[in-house]
Amino acid sequence: AWDSFGVITPYVAVFDAKFYLYYTGTHAPDGFRSRDPNGTLRHIGVAVAHQPGGPWKRFADSPVLSPGQRGTWDELLVDDAHLIKRDGKYWFYFKGGHGTIRPDATQWGVAIGESPTGPFVKHERNPLIGGHTVCLWPHGRGIAALIDSAGPERHTVQWSTDGIQFMRAARTEQPVLTGCGP
């Protein structure tokens, strides 16, 4: 199964009095460094509960977001889900990578859906941000993203009014946050 090896990087969002647990499922033999025969490694799934302590029920037996085709920017993984409701739609921000999963080789993209359980359609302008995004959140009338110590935009806070085109808003002091968690 797509999440048979393990699950990592949980993220919880609350919409309409339900709790949605987004998680990354892995299915490669060593979990992080090799591909399975289909060329994929990490997918994102969702489980739903009526209270924060569960019980959690997997929404489906398949992931809500999978890596792209061979040769695309996210062919190896999709990971680190962040879901934001904006303009009546669900904006599903995720980290993607190809060829290697070093933090400095990952980028950030978005897929948009009508429901918190998808289906999600990857935006045509992906990837949006170069670098390993640690945390993404709604801020004012836009979206802010904290980039950690990896990639071309490292140690910055990025800002976007439309949720797609990000620009540097500030540099951060070291040591930068290395994981804000769910």
Side-chain angles (χ1 to χ4, degrees):
W2 64 274
D3 60 355
S4 61
F5 183 79
V7 295
I8 56 174
T9 62
Y11 177 82
V12 176
V14 181
F15 297 106
D16 302 323
K18 290 184 183 175
F19 295 83
Y20 296 87
L21 171 67
Y22 299 91
Y23 61 93
T24 302
T26 64
H27 64 282
D30 69 3
F32 297 100
R33 292 184 175 79
S34 67
R35 298 173 185 235
D36 73 2
N38 297 320
T40 59
L41 178 62
R42 296 183 190 179
H43 306 261
I44 299 174
V46 62
V48 182
H50 291 285
Q51 53 192 9
W56 295 94
K57 181 179 183 232
R58 284 177 58 182
F59 177 73
D61 288 334
S62 59
V64 294
L65 196 66
S66 289
Q69 300 295 320
R70 191 170 294 277
T72 61
W73 70 279
D74 62 348
E75 76 171 290
L76 187 59
L77 67 93
V78 293
D79 193 3
D80 292 351
H82 285 72
L83 192 71
I84 295 173
K85 189 171 183 180
R86 179 184 168 108
D87 302 326
K89 296 192 185 242
Y90 294 87
W91 294 58
F92 197 79
Y93 290 91
F94 64 96
K95 178 176 64 180
H98 65 91
T100 179
I101 24 181
R102 292 186 338 258
D104 61 345
T106 59
Q107 298 178 75
W108 201 250
V110 68
I112 300 172
E114 302 288 328
S115 160
T117 55
F120 295 101
V121 177
K122 293 177 184 175
H123 197 275
E124 63 189 25
R125 284 193 50 134
N126 284 336
L128 307 177
I129 306 170
H132 189 81
T133 303
V134 173
C135 191
L136 191 134
W137 66 97
H139 186 76
R141 293 185 179 189
I143 306 292
L146 175 66
I147 311 298
D148 75 358
S149 58
E153 292 292 331
R154 65 183 177 270
H155 301 297
T156 64
V157 174
Q158 300 284 318
W159 169 256
S160 174
T161 56
D162 66 0
I164 302 296
Q165 296 180 27
F166 283 82
M167 63 182 178
R168 183 183 304 169
R171 293 210 48 85
T172 60
E173 297 292 323
Q174 290 187 15
V176 70
L177 184 65
T178 58
C180 64

